[in-house]
Amino acid sequence: QVQLVESGGGLVQAGGSLRLSCAASGSIFGINSMGWYRQAPGKQRELVTLITSGGSTNYADSVKGRFTISRDNAKNTVYLQMNSLKPDDTAIYYCNAYRLRYGLATTYWGQGTQVTVSS
C-alpha cells in the first residue's frame, strides 16, 4: 500500500500563487508516476499534471505555463507550484500515484486538498 498526504491548499485571490505538497509513504518501490488531478463541483476529475519516474512531465493545456510539478526523491514528495491562479482553478486537488508491476496496474489517491481562487 501507498499512502499519499496532500497539504498546501487554501484560499487565494486571482493572480496569486499556491504550492501543494504530496508526501508518499509505505510501499513506494516501483512507482511509475505521480501527479495531480482536480475535481471542480459538478465536473469530472481531470488530470492536471504528472511526472514520471524518469522525470518526464505532462500538463493539461489549461495550466501550461502557470503550473509546475517537481519532486524531491529524498523526501518522497511531489510538489505543485501554481502561479497566476484563476477562479477556474478552484477545485479539490488530489495527489495520485501509479504503479505497473508484474502486469498489475495500481492507482493510489490522497484525500484531496481544497484550492479556492476568488475573483
Side-chain angles (χ1 to χ4, degrees):
Q1 285 293 330
V2 175
Q3 292 78 44
L4 303 173
V5 178
E6 302 107 331
S7 60
L11 173 64
V12 65
Q13 288 187 333
S17 299
L18 282 175
R19 188 176 83 153
L20 306 183
S21 300
C22 173
S25 62
S27 180
I28 61 175
F29 178 80
I31 292 294
N32 298 95
S33 69
M34 291 186 67
W36 293 91
Y37 285 70
R38 67 186 181 186
Q39 187 166 18
K43 295 187 177 180
Q44 289 188 333
R45 191 173 296 188
E46 63 176 2
L47 173 67
V48 177
T49 179
L50 63 84
I51 184 166
T52 69
S53 58
S56 298
T57 58
N58 188 26
Y59 294 91
D61 288 342
S62 59
V63 306
K64 283 181 181 177
R66 301 188 297 122
F67 291 11
T68 303
I69 189 170
S70 62
R71 66 185 184 191
D72 184 333
N73 290 333
K75 296 181 178 180
N76 296 322
T77 299
V78 171
Y79 303 97
L80 179 62
Q81 178 66 43
M82 304 185 293
N83 298 328
S84 302
L85 282 160
K86 306 175 181 180
D88 284 349
D89 295 318
T90 295
I92 299 175
Y93 284 70
Y94 296 92
C95 182
N96 165 277
Y98 172 81
R99 175 164 55 203
L100 179 62
R101 191 176 183 188
Y102 305 125
L104 177 65
T106 308
T107 300
Y108 302 93
W109 294 96
Q111 80 285 358
T113 185
Q114 177 71 48
V115 171
T116 303
V117 184
S118 63
S119 58

